Each structure stands twice: as C-alpha cells, then as structure tokens.
Amino acid sequence: MGSKQQQVMTTDAVALPQSWGSGSNRIAAMNVQGRTPSPNINTSKDFGHHPDDPNHKKPGWRRFLSFVGPGFLVSLAYLDPGNLETDLQAGANHRYELLWVVLIGLIFALIIQSLAANLGVSTGKHLSELCKAEYPIIVKYCLWLLAEIAVIAADIPEVIGTAFALNILFNIPVWIGVLLTGGSTLLLLGLQKYGVRKLEMLITVLVFIMAACFFGEMSYVKPPAADVLKGMFVPKLSGQGATGDAIALLGALVMPHNLFLHSALVLSRKVPNSVRGINDACRFFLIESGLALLVAFLINVAVISVSGTVCSAANLSYDNKHQCSDITLNSASFLLQNVLGKSSKIVYAIALLASGQSSTITGTYAGQYIMQGFLELKMRKWLRNLMTRCIAITPSLVVSIIGGSQGAGRLIIIASMILSFELPFALIPLLKFSSSATKMGPHKNSIYIIVISWILGLGIIGINIYYLSTGFVDWLIHNSLPKVGNVFIGIIVFPLMAVYMIAVIYLTFRKDTVVTFIDPTKDDPAAQTRMETGLGNPNATELDRVHYREDLADIPLPE
C-alpha cells in the first residue's frame, strides 16, 4: 500500500528546489500529470517574475494584499465562543494569572500556523493529503476520524454560543436555541449567494464591536498594569482548577483543525514558481498570520483582564459576585454595563451571535478539506455544514436540557479540553512533514524552528498527558460511585489512556517513508536557472508556470 501511495504522490507533485545558496527553506510543487494549466491563470499578475515584467515593480503593500485572507480567516477561530468562554472563566477564577498561557498559546499558534502555510505553499499539498499519502490505511482512517471529532468539538461552542445569544436577545430557552442553530447555519449559507466577502466583512465588524466593548470596559475598570504584565510573563498555576483552566485555554487557542485549514487555504493563492515568488509568499503569509493573531491576542487579553478586574473588585454586588462564581457566556453581559449601560445585553448578544456564526465558516472549510484530503470525497458546503452541525447539536441539546445554561457552559470547557487532547494528532504530522527531507528535501525547516516548535509541541502534549492522568486518578479516588463502578471505569479508561500515549509515541518516532520531494534540476541545470529567474514568457514550459490548485480556487477570499 505504501509503495502505491508513494507512486501516486511522486507522479502527482514534482517539487522544484530553490537555490541552495539563497538560504531558503522552501520548495515549490508543480502538477506534472500533463494537464494544461487553467486558461484563467495570468502569471503577469503575480510577483516574483522576470525583472522585465512591469508588474514586478508593484508596491510591496499591493503584493502583500494579494495574499491577505487565509490568516485572518483562520484567526476567527481564535475569537469564537469557546475562546470567550474560557477567557471569562480564567479571568473570574484566577484574575490575570493565566495570561501567560494565552501569550505562549498564541506565539505557538503563530509558529505552527506559519508552518502549516509554508507546508502548503512548498509542497502544493495540504496536511490531510500528505497524511493520507504517508500513513498506513488504519492510521490514516484513525487520523481522519480524530480530525472529524476535532471539527465537531470546535462546533459545539459555536452551537451553544449562538443559543446563548438567542436566549439573551429573545429570551428563548437554551435548548430551543440549540435546535435553531441548525436553521441559522442554513440561513448563513443561503446569504452567501449575495456575496460571501461582504457577509464575512459584516461578521468580522460585529466581532470587533465586541472587542471594542471589552477594550472600552478595560479602560474604565483600569486593571493594574503591573499585575497584568506579571500574569503575562510569570508562569503560575495556583488555586483550585488552575491546571484545568490552563488546558482549556490552550485547547481553545490552538485548534487541530486549524492546521488542516491553513495549509489548504494558502493553495488558493497564485504563487509564482520562482525562488523570490516562494520566499515572498511564505513571508507575506507569516506577516499576515502575525497581524491576525496579534489582534486575537489583544482581544483575549482584554476579555481576561475585564473579567478578572470586575470579578475581583471589592465593591462587587451580591448578584455580580454570584455570577462571577460561575460565569458563562450567557451571564457575562454584566461585565460591560459600565460602558454600555442597559444596552450591554443587546450589543453583547449580537457580537456573540456573530462570533459563533463566523466561526462556522472556518469549521465548514476545515471539515471539507479534511474529508477531501483523507478520503478524496468532496461534499456540497451546505450538506457538509449541516451534517457537522447536526452531530454537534446532539450533545449540546442533551446537556442544555439536563443542565441548563450552566451545564451548556461547562460543555464548552469540555469541548476545549477535547481539542487540546486532539492536538498531537495534527501537530506531530505537521512538525514531522515540515522538518522532513522526504517531504521538503534540502529546504526543510531550519534547526532553530525545528527545536523551538518541537519543544513547545512536546511541552503542550506532556501537559495534556499529565493532566489527563492525574485528573482521572484524582476523580477515581474521590468520586462517590460504588467500588464496582470505579473498577469497571478503570478497566475501560486506563487502556484508552495507554492507547493514547502509544499513538503519540508512534507518530513522534515513526520514520517517514513516502518521498514527495523530487529534484528536477539534478540532471537538468536549465531547470535550476528557470527556477531562480521565474520566467513568465508565453513559451514557458509547465514547470515555469504558477502553481495553482483549481479545486481550492472557490474559497471566498480576495485574490
């Protein structure tokens, strides 16, 4: 099976190396199956071409804007209801002590999101396609199933967040709001025909309205700068539940399905097949991701700071103190009363609704690429979205009926923790592929990036395993179940924990066997010259043309 996959990959993508002396760590992958490039591809519109090309002299900001989109779309997942819920909980329970988790989480997110973007740009394949080619069939299907579970776990906070917003706006019971979220998804997809870009812009504006509210509230309550900076740069886990809240924060910030999504989104851009073209594309995607995640970081810090300051105030009323003791998305509007007064609930609910619905878009595309890459299946977007949403509705509905809004709020925390535990099964393949000579040839990641990314990755994985083990053992010792029940649960759970750790070790130490990198310049020095100059003349061969994925060209982002 492995040899067959290897044959498919090596005939489907030929990687063109850049100059060894340029210091680049990238390759370009071209389709060489004999298909004629799409006639709508105009290489003159892209940068990185021959200096005689007049478009080569475009201002840098115009070249950068042509690549803006994927990073900001991915960053919406860092501002979804799951993030807001965990931020509110962290601030109310621990004030500013967990801000360092947000800082490390988003720095790590920037590193791995840029690795995902570089992997797509360099190989011409997104992460799920490379996983399908590399791993045996059983491992492939397990990774696909785990990726689908991650998409569903990410969709649960969006379901509950939308239900909370409807509850605040129209006083609809949470469980009914959960049912209505399926209809809201179809409505959102129906509105896309009037212009997805305009719709996404509107949703983004509404999300930033919420950000402006929290920044305004932060300027009113004035959290102590020294304590905020100390919480941001001095790691500390003190107090009951601090470890669990930290894990939930990481799970909400670094989502496994985002890695599949980002590596595919960048393939919608027309990257010139030249050293400069590939380098500029990777650099621009890094800058864009950095800007987008900086905005997400500031918003997360503002939410935690406001929650921590208001809930720790000495003159807090009895009602607000009670709400802070078990704060949820459904009860957090009181945090904005100082800025918005009586209208705080309405503005907060509208922004919460927009947050949940905008995140639906990223979940839909991630699920689409995961299914396409692992199974070579492609569903209609509305069907894919409806299927994922219906699966996510089930646990949300059960919990909201039994536990009400408080139970639904706790389910968001559980979903974030599931995402954190799922992270190794997307992160480890990404780290290995982007650092592997079999995938990237001599242009794999530098040793510095390899060391930093693996230290952070293994650190997060280690924290997850430690918390999973100690948390379960602690629960097993102190719960009120009969001894027979504890024995039965232990027999089931301990083997699952062992399987989890064995799977992580397998993915970490398994040697890559499928080679997707081919050096076309080894026996053809002229190909190296073409690669360095990036000639865009009408008589250029297929190897000189722009790499472009037509199957990803319908992504609603500016070209």
Side-chain angles (χ1 to χ4, degrees):
M1 184 65 187
S3 61
K4 183 179 180 181
Q5 290 173 335
Q6 180 173 354
Q7 182 180 4
V8 171
M9 290 297 295
T10 54
T11 56
D12 182 57
V14 174
L16 302 179
Q18 300 170 9
S19 172
W20 274 257
S22 66
S24 169
N25 290 321
R26 313 292 167 221
I27 58 175
M30 298 301 301
N31 190 314
V32 293
Q33 288 182 319
R35 291 179 291 187
T36 303
S38 175
N40 64 350
I41 298 175
N42 187 351
T43 59
S44 65
K45 291 183 181 181
D46 295 289
F47 58 87
H49 285 247
H50 194 274
D52 294 336
D53 184 356
N55 289 288
H56 174 75
K57 299 180 180 180
K58 280 184 179 180
W61 66 269
R62 288 190 61 187
R63 291 186 285 153
F64 170 68
L65 288 179
S66 66
F67 284 79
V68 169
F72 279 92
L73 183 59
V74 168
S75 71
L76 286 176
Y78 295 87
L79 300 171
D80 71 346
N83 283 96
L84 299 178
E85 172 84 9
T86 52
D87 288 347
L88 293 169
Q89 294 269 7
N93 296 337
H94 311 284
R95 296 190 72 201
Y96 324 110
E97 289 184 1
L98 296 183
L99 284 174
W100 65 272
V101 178
V102 179
L103 178 62
I104 291 179
L106 282 173
I107 290 174
F108 183 54
L110 175 60
I111 293 174
I112 62 172
Q113 294 295 163
S114 63
L115 291 182
N118 293 346
L119 184 71
V121 170
S122 301
T123 64
K125 300 286 183 181
H126 51 82
L127 182 57
S128 58
E129 291 175 326
L130 291 172
C131 287
K132 175 182 181 296
E134 175 63 41
Y135 294 111
I137 186 168
I138 296 178
V139 177
K140 177 187 74 173
Y141 281 117
C142 288
L143 290 176
W144 165 73
L145 183 61
L146 290 169
E148 293 287 1
I149 292 174
V151 173
I152 294 168
D155 205 42
I156 286 176
E158 295 155 18
V159 169
I160 296 175
T162 302
F164 282 164
L166 294 175
N167 175 260
I168 296 171
L169 287 172
F170 307 110
N171 203 27
I172 296 174
V174 174
W175 69 271
I176 295 179
V178 168
L179 288 175
L180 292 176
T181 56
S184 69
T185 300
L186 293 178
L187 177 63
L188 180 70
L189 292 171
L191 292 175
Q192 289 185 9
K193 67 181 181 180
Y194 297 106
V196 179
R197 297 173 190 172
K198 295 178 182 177
L199 179 63
E200 289 184 358
M201 182 64 69
L202 174 63
I203 292 173
T204 303
V205 168
L206 292 174
V207 171
F208 277 90
I209 287 175
M210 181 180 229
C213 293
F214 277 98
F215 282 123
E217 177 72 8
M218 190 166 65
S219 67
Y220 181 88
V221 299
K222 294 181 174 61
D227 290 346
V228 171
L229 290 175
K230 182 179 178 181
M232 198 177 297
F233 295 106
V234 179
K236 187 177 181 181
L237 288 174
S238 62
Q240 186 178 5
T243 305
D245 287 342
I247 294 291
L249 275 175
L250 284 176
L253 287 170
V254 186
M255 299 186 184
H257 69 284
N258 260 6
L259 306 183
F260 295 102
L261 175 64
H262 206 174
S263 64
L265 287 174
V266 296
L267 294 176
S268 66
R269 293 302 187 266
K270 300 175 182 178
V271 178
N273 178 29
S274 66
V275 172
R276 178 174 178 177
I278 300 296
N279 286 345
D280 282 355
C282 292
R283 185 175 72 253
F284 286 157
F285 282 132
L286 175 62
I287 295 172
E288 183 219 15
S289 298
L291 292 174
L293 291 178
L294 175 62
V295 173
F297 171 72
L298 294 176
I299 295 175
N300 280 278
V301 168
V303 175
I304 292 177
S305 299
V306 168
S307 177
T309 305
V310 172
C311 290
S312 62
N315 58 347
L316 196 64
S317 67
Y318 175 79
D319 290 339
N320 288 346
K321 186 179 295 186
H322 177 70
Q323 288 177 310
C324 284
S325 65
D326 193 12
I327 194 169
T328 66
L329 288 175
N330 202 29
S331 63
S333 60
F334 77 93
L335 296 174
L336 304 176
Q337 286 179 352
N338 292 324
V339 175
L340 301 174
K342 294 182 179 179
S343 62
S344 61
K345 280 193 172 184
I346 296 175
V347 175
Y348 172 81
I350 291 174
L352 180 59
L353 182 66
S355 173
Q357 292 303 296
S358 60
S359 302
T360 299
I361 298 174
T362 62
T364 300
Y365 284 122
Q368 186 80 302
Y369 298 140
I370 287 169
M371 182 172 288
Q372 173 193 352
F374 280 107
L375 306 181
E376 297 184 356
L377 295 177
K378 190 172 183 180
M379 299 174 64
R380 293 181 180 273
K381 291 184 181 64
W382 67 268
L383 183 59
R384 168 75 212 189
N385 199 317
L386 185 60
M387 180 186 73
T388 302
R389 179 54 56 93
C390 288
I391 296 174
I393 281 175
T394 304
S396 305
L397 181 63
V398 172
V399 171
S400 60
I401 291 175
I402 297 175
S405 60
Q406 290 185 347
R410 292 190 185 95
L411 184 59
I412 293 180
I413 301 294
I414 294 173
S416 297
M417 294 178 70
I418 290 174
L419 289 172
S420 187
F421 293 136
E422 290 253 359
L423 183 61
F425 302 105
L427 176 60
I428 292 176
L430 173 64
L431 294 178
K432 293 196 69 177
F433 294 161
S434 61
S435 305
S436 171
T438 63
K439 299 294 183 293
M440 306 287 281
H443 311 288
K444 61 183 181 180
N445 293 325
S446 67
I447 186 64
Y448 303 106
I449 296 297
I450 293 174
V451 170
I452 293 172
S453 59
W454 274 102
I455 288 176
L456 288 173
L458 292 177
I460 291 178
I461 293 170
I463 291 172
N464 290 343
I465 294 176
Y466 170 79
Y467 181 74
L468 177 67
S469 305
T470 57
F472 175 71
V473 171
D474 182 70
W475 176 85
L476 205 61
I477 293 173
H478 296 97
N479 70 63
S480 57
L481 293 175
K483 289 185 178 180
V484 176
N486 284 336
V487 171
F488 181 74
I489 293 174
I491 291 174
I492 295 176
V493 174
F494 278 117
L496 291 177
M497 293 171 60
V499 169
Y500 178 86
M501 288 185 279
I502 291 171
V504 171
I505 293 171
Y506 167 81
L507 290 176
T508 302
F509 293 101
R510 179 187 182 274
K511 186 177 180 180
D512 289 351
T513 57
V514 177
V515 179
T516 60
F517 174 83
I518 297 177
D519 183 1
T521 67
K522 187 174 183 180
D523 301 315
D524 183 12
Q528 177 68 28
T529 303
R530 293 198 303 270
M531 184 62 192
E532 292 182 13
T533 59
L535 295 176
N537 61 75
N539 298 321
T541 66
E542 174 121 356
L543 293 178
D544 295 316
R545 295 188 183 276
V546 175
H547 173 67
Y548 189 59
R549 286 286 296 272
E550 291 187 65
D551 59 324
L552 304 177
D554 62 342
I555 297 174
L557 295 168
E559 295 183 356

